[in-house]
Amino acid sequence: MSTQEKRQRLIDAAYKVFVKKGYLNASIKDIASEAGMTSGLVHYYFKNKEELLLSVQEEVQQRYQKQYDGQPDDAATPEAVLLEIKSRAEDNPDWYRWRYELYSLGMKSESGHLEREVASILKSGRESLSAPLQHLVGDSANASALASILLACFDGLALQKIVDDEFDLDRSYRLLIELLGLYVSKSEGESR
């Protein structure tokens, strides 16, 4: 196994352990065990658990961004984008568990380092949503504000679905799509 493959294996293992146990309850030994490696090897590739946490976040972010690389801002319909995001809560709830773990760590960060990382994650999410939204609503300030509202909806709806099996995610997203459509129609009408 190459150096890069070992490092990737540790990142994948850390993701699983952090999602399952939480960052504070996870140990280097847990991560090494999940990866089928020794604790010493974890320390060889990462100087500490926080560096591993940030490497996991970088990997998660890159995987998500790859699916949109090269696509023009107006390539997908708003409904298609919302349905793809909805599918994450159903098909990959660990992705949201990971986000919530980072949010929690960022809010409790004494050094401010993880807080800045969380702020960067949220800013990146707003920016990736606001560019295509600007094509729909025309105004960059409103597109940015709408992106922040949508991010809050995505995170909040996913949280409800993860903790409550009976929560009707489909109905909530149908209404969210309808509300977005009404807002876009109103914005288009005002710009004429």
Side-chain angles (χ1 to χ4, degrees), residues 97-148:
R97 287 183 180 98
W98 171 254
R99 284 176 68 88
Y100 304 141
E101 181 67 15
L102 283 175
Y103 292 169
S104 175
L105 292 168
M107 288 187 292
K108 298 172 188 172
S109 173
E110 292 181 18
S111 69
H113 179 70
L114 291 176
E115 183 177 2
R116 288 187 299 277
E117 182 68 26
V118 169
S120 174
I121 292 164
L122 291 170
K123 181 179 180 185
S124 174
R126 284 191 308 273
E127 289 171 351
S128 71
L129 277 174
S130 74
L133 286 171
Q134 189 170 344
H135 289 286
L136 296 172
V137 300
D139 178 89
S140 65
N142 282 350
S144 182
L146 182 56
S148 66

XYZ file of all heavy atoms in Angstrom, residues 97-148:
397
model
N -24.226 14.359 9.996
C -23.677 14.128 11.337
C -22.278 14.746 11.444
O -21.914 15.311 12.472
C -23.644 12.639 11.648
C -24.991 12.036 11.915
C -24.884 10.559 12.288
N -26.184 9.994 12.532
C -26.891 9.293 11.647
N -26.382 9.039 10.454
N -28.081 8.819 11.954
N -21.516 14.607 10.380
C -20.184 15.194 10.330
C -20.272 16.712 10.466
O -19.544 17.321 11.236
C -19.482 14.810 9.018
C -18.206 15.545 8.809
C -17.982 16.565 7.927
C -16.985 15.372 9.516
N -16.691 17.024 8.044
C -16.057 16.300 9.017
C -16.579 14.517 10.531
C -14.754 16.399 9.478
C -15.277 14.605 11.003
C -14.376 15.531 10.482
N -21.184 17.341 9.715
C -21.357 18.799 9.782
C -21.713 19.231 11.206
O -21.163 20.191 11.719
C -22.462 19.261 8.818
C -22.038 19.279 7.382
C -23.174 19.650 6.456
N -23.640 21.020 6.570
C -23.129 22.046 5.901
N -22.115 21.855 5.085
N -23.631 23.255 6.032
N -22.652 18.510 11.832
C -23.085 18.888 13.185
C -21.939 18.742 14.181
O -21.804 19.554 15.097
C -24.290 18.055 13.641
C -25.467 18.121 12.703
C -26.218 16.987 12.449
C -25.830 19.307 12.066
C -27.302 17.041 11.582
C -26.909 19.363 11.201
C -27.639 18.220 10.960
O -28.693 18.269 10.106
N -21.121 17.718 13.986
C -19.958 17.535 14.867
C -19.015 18.741 14.726
O -18.544 19.282 15.724
C -19.225 16.231 14.525
C -18.033 15.935 15.385
C -18.359 15.626 16.840
O -19.540 15.354 17.167
O -17.433 15.663 17.663
N -18.758 19.151 13.503
C -17.892 20.308 13.282
C -18.505 21.588 13.842
O -17.806 22.398 14.444
C -17.609 20.494 11.789
C -16.582 19.554 11.192
C -16.483 19.764 9.690
C -15.222 19.730 11.829
N -19.806 21.767 13.638
C -20.469 22.967 14.170
C -20.300 23.021 15.683
O -19.966 24.063 16.240
C -21.964 22.961 13.851
C -22.328 23.113 12.400
C -23.630 22.883 11.988
C -21.409 23.484 11.425
C -24.003 23.028 10.666
C -21.778 23.617 10.099
C -23.081 23.389 9.730
O -23.453 23.533 8.423
N -20.536 21.893 16.330
C -20.423 21.834 17.783
C -18.996 22.152 18.237
O -18.787 22.937 19.159
C -20.835 20.444 18.275
O -20.641 20.321 19.651
N -18.027 21.556 17.587
C -16.626 21.813 17.931
C -16.261 23.270 17.689
O -15.551 23.879 18.496
C -15.703 20.904 17.119
C -15.759 19.416 17.454
C -15.021 18.609 16.397
C -15.202 19.157 18.834
N -16.742 23.825 16.598
C -16.442 25.211 16.274
C -17.007 26.180 17.294
O -16.363 27.169 17.653
N -18.192 25.898 17.792
C -18.810 26.793 18.773
C -18.108 26.717 20.124
O -18.155 27.650 20.901
C -20.290 26.465 18.929
C -21.108 26.888 17.718
S -22.884 26.695 17.937
C -23.053 24.925 18.007
N -17.444 25.587 20.388
C -16.776 25.390 21.675
C -15.275 25.652 21.608
O -14.594 25.566 22.620
C -17.013 23.960 22.164
C -18.465 23.643 22.415
C -18.648 22.176 22.714
C -20.123 21.817 22.779
N -20.314 20.381 22.889
N -14.780 25.976 20.439
C -13.345 26.149 20.231
C -12.802 27.311 21.056
O -13.218 28.451 20.888
C -13.082 26.402 18.741
O -11.752 26.732 18.511
N -11.886 26.993 21.939
C -11.282 28.038 22.769
C -10.249 28.843 21.999
O -10.110 30.039 22.200
C -10.665 27.415 24.024
C -11.724 26.869 24.965
C -11.129 26.279 26.228
O -9.962 26.570 26.545
O -11.851 25.522 26.900
N -9.539 28.194 21.096
C -8.501 28.896 20.337
C -9.102 29.717 19.200
O -8.457 30.619 18.683
C -7.508 27.895 19.747
O -8.131 27.134 18.717
N -10.316 29.383 18.807
C -10.944 30.066 17.688
C -10.603 29.450 16.346
O -11.199 29.779 15.329
N -9.640 28.510 16.335
C -9.199 27.897 15.083
C -10.342 27.111 14.432
O -10.603 27.275 13.241
C -7.979 27.008 15.340
C -7.486 26.316 14.113
N -6.874 26.998 13.085
C -7.540 25.023 13.738
C -6.564 26.139 12.136
N -6.957 24.944 12.507
N -11.011 26.262 15.190
C -12.103 25.473 14.624
C -13.321 26.344 14.327
O -14.059 26.079 13.381
C -12.480 24.317 15.552
C -11.423 23.217 15.665
C -11.840 22.165 16.680
C -11.155 22.577 14.313
N -13.502 27.393 15.101
C -14.592 28.330 14.818
C -14.385 28.971 13.444
O -15.324 29.099 12.652
C -14.662 29.404 15.902
C -15.819 30.367 15.722
C -15.898 31.375 16.856
O -15.047 31.365 17.772
O -16.824 32.192 16.811
N -13.158 29.346 13.142
C -12.858 29.916 11.829
C -13.063 28.882 10.721
O -13.524 29.212 9.627
C -11.427 30.468 11.797
C -11.269 31.752 12.602
C -9.888 32.389 12.429
N -8.777 31.557 12.861
C -8.359 31.445 14.123
N -8.956 32.108 15.086
N -7.327 30.670 14.415
N -12.736 27.628 10.999
C -12.942 26.555 10.015
C -14.433 26.391 9.721
O -14.836 26.273 8.563
C -12.346 25.239 10.537
C -12.466 24.088 9.580
C -11.613 24.226 8.330
O -10.585 24.911 8.346
O -11.997 23.626 7.310
N -15.257 26.403 10.753
C -16.708 26.285 10.571
C -17.233 27.500 9.814
O -18.059 27.363 8.899
C -17.428 26.101 11.926
C -18.937 26.245 11.774
C -17.082 24.737 12.521
N -16.773 28.677 10.169
C -17.200 29.886 9.449
C -16.838 29.778 7.970
O -17.626 30.158 7.100
C -16.560 31.126 10.075
N -15.679 29.228 7.677
C -15.244 29.043 6.296
C -16.139 28.041 5.560
O -16.482 28.240 4.391
C -13.789 28.585 6.275
O -13.386 28.271 4.980
N -16.511 26.962 6.229
C -17.402 25.956 5.640
C -18.746 26.592 5.292
O -19.281 26.413 4.190
C -17.612 24.772 6.612
C -16.311 23.986 6.783
C -18.746 23.861 6.149
C -16.317 23.051 7.984
N -19.292 27.348 6.229
C -20.583 27.983 6.004
C -20.493 29.036 4.893
O -21.384 29.125 4.038
C -21.109 28.596 7.300
C -21.512 27.571 8.366
C -21.778 28.248 9.700
C -22.722 26.771 7.915
N -19.425 29.798 4.892
C -19.239 30.817 3.845
C -19.132 30.156 2.474
O -19.743 30.606 1.506
C -17.989 31.650 4.133
C -17.753 32.735 3.114
C -16.515 33.543 3.445
C -16.330 34.632 2.390
N -15.096 35.371 2.580
N -18.378 29.083 2.397
C -18.227 28.360 1.134
C -19.581 27.837 0.649
O -19.893 27.907 -0.545
C -17.247 27.204 1.321
O -17.176 26.415 0.178
N -20.387 27.327 1.571
C -21.722 26.845 1.209
C -22.606 27.964 0.682
O -23.304 27.798 -0.327
N -22.552 29.121 1.360
C -23.345 30.273 0.901
C -22.906 30.709 -0.486
O -23.732 30.982 -1.360
C -23.212 31.445 1.874
C -23.997 31.286 3.144
C -24.043 32.573 3.954
N -22.746 33.173 4.219
C -21.978 32.860 5.263
N -22.370 31.954 6.138
N -20.817 33.462 5.440
N -21.584 30.773 -0.680
C -21.065 31.212 -1.978
C -21.433 30.245 -3.091
O -21.779 30.666 -4.192
C -19.550 31.402 -1.904
C -19.146 32.610 -1.093
C -17.651 32.700 -0.824
O -16.908 31.733 -1.120
O -17.217 33.749 -0.295
N -21.362 28.949 -2.823
C -21.673 27.977 -3.873
C -23.155 28.004 -4.231
O -23.525 27.700 -5.364
C -21.231 26.568 -3.477
O -22.039 26.049 -2.450
N -23.992 28.383 -3.297
C -25.428 28.513 -3.585
C -25.780 29.875 -4.172
O -26.667 29.975 -5.020
C -26.244 28.323 -2.302
C -26.557 26.923 -1.857
C -27.231 26.943 -0.500
C -27.416 26.206 -2.865
N -25.119 30.925 -3.724
C -25.548 32.258 -4.143
C -25.218 32.559 -5.602
O -25.951 33.307 -6.246
C -25.035 33.342 -3.202
O -23.699 33.603 -3.347
N -24.180 31.977 -6.162
C -23.863 32.229 -7.576
C -25.007 31.790 -8.490
O -25.499 32.587 -9.289
C -22.548 31.562 -7.955
N -25.478 30.539 -8.394
C -26.611 30.166 -9.259
C -27.904 30.891 -8.876
O -28.729 31.173 -9.744
C -26.753 28.652 -9.067
C -25.936 28.294 -7.895
C -24.941 29.384 -7.679
N -28.069 31.212 -7.604
C -29.272 31.937 -7.196
C -29.299 33.339 -7.789
O -30.369 33.868 -8.102
C -29.364 32.011 -5.672
C -29.754 30.723 -4.957
C -29.603 30.876 -3.448
C -31.161 30.295 -5.317
N -28.136 33.939 -7.950
C -28.080 35.282 -8.522
C -28.640 35.283 -9.944
O -29.273 36.246 -10.365
C -26.664 35.837 -8.501
C -26.627 37.308 -8.881
C -25.276 37.933 -8.624
O -24.455 37.391 -7.914
N -25.059 39.088 -9.207
N -28.440 34.180 -10.674
C -29.014 34.071 -12.016
C -30.541 34.080 -11.947
O -31.200 34.502 -12.886
C -28.540 32.782 -12.708
C -27.108 32.816 -13.092
N -26.633 33.561 -14.143
C -26.029 32.205 -12.552
C -25.327 33.400 -14.246
N -24.937 32.587 -13.292
N -31.091 33.609 -10.841
C -32.545 33.530 -10.691
C -33.163 34.805 -10.125
O -34.236 35.213 -10.555
C -32.927 32.357 -9.781
C -32.571 30.964 -10.282
C -32.817 29.935 -9.199
C -33.387 30.634 -11.520
N -32.501 35.404 -9.144
C -33.099 36.565 -8.461
C -32.496 37.888 -8.886
O -33.051 38.939 -8.570
C -33.054 36.407 -6.919
C -33.815 35.174 -6.475
C -31.646 36.376 -6.387
N -31.358 37.846 -9.574
C -30.784 39.053 -10.134
C -29.976 39.926 -9.195
O -29.101 40.639 -9.633
N -30.208 39.876 -7.940
C -29.553 40.763 -6.975
C -28.589 39.949 -6.125
O -28.994 38.985 -5.472
C -30.636 41.418 -6.109
C -30.064 42.321 -5.041
O -29.857 43.511 -5.321
O -29.830 41.811 -3.926
N -27.316 40.341 -6.096
C -26.316 39.540 -5.375
C -26.544 39.545 -3.866
O -26.324 38.528 -3.201
C -24.906 40.008 -5.710
O -24.687 41.319 -5.258
N -26.981 40.680 -3.304
C -27.226 40.730 -1.852
C -28.385 39.812 -1.475
O -28.312 39.069 -0.488
C -27.504 42.163 -1.406
N -29.464 39.833 -2.270
C -30.598 38.947 -1.987
C -30.231 37.483 -2.236
O -30.687 36.597 -1.514
C -31.819 39.338 -2.817
C -32.530 40.551 -2.247
O -32.229 41.005 -1.143
N -33.468 41.084 -3.008
N -29.417 37.228 -3.259
C -28.987 35.850 -3.536
C -28.183 35.309 -2.360
O -28.359 34.160 -1.944
C -28.176 35.800 -4.821
N -27.307 36.132 -1.793
C -26.507 35.714 -0.642
C -27.387 35.468 0.585
O -27.209 34.483 1.305
C -25.449 36.775 -0.350
O -24.656 36.368 0.730
N -28.343 36.356 0.815
C -29.254 36.182 1.952
C -30.102 34.929 1.771
O -30.302 34.158 2.718
C -30.140 37.416 2.106
N -30.593 34.709 0.546
C -31.397 33.515 0.273
C -30.557 32.253 0.457
O -31.028 31.253 1.007
C -31.971 33.590 -1.141
C -32.877 32.444 -1.580
C -34.048 32.247 -0.619
C -33.379 32.686 -3.003
N -29.300 32.290 0.040
C -28.406 31.138 0.219
C -28.243 30.808 1.703
O -28.265 29.637 2.094
C -27.046 31.416 -0.419
N -28.115 31.826 2.544
C -27.962 31.568 3.985
C -29.241 30.974 4.574
O -29.179 30.088 5.423
C -27.540 32.838 4.728
O -28.557 33.808 4.685
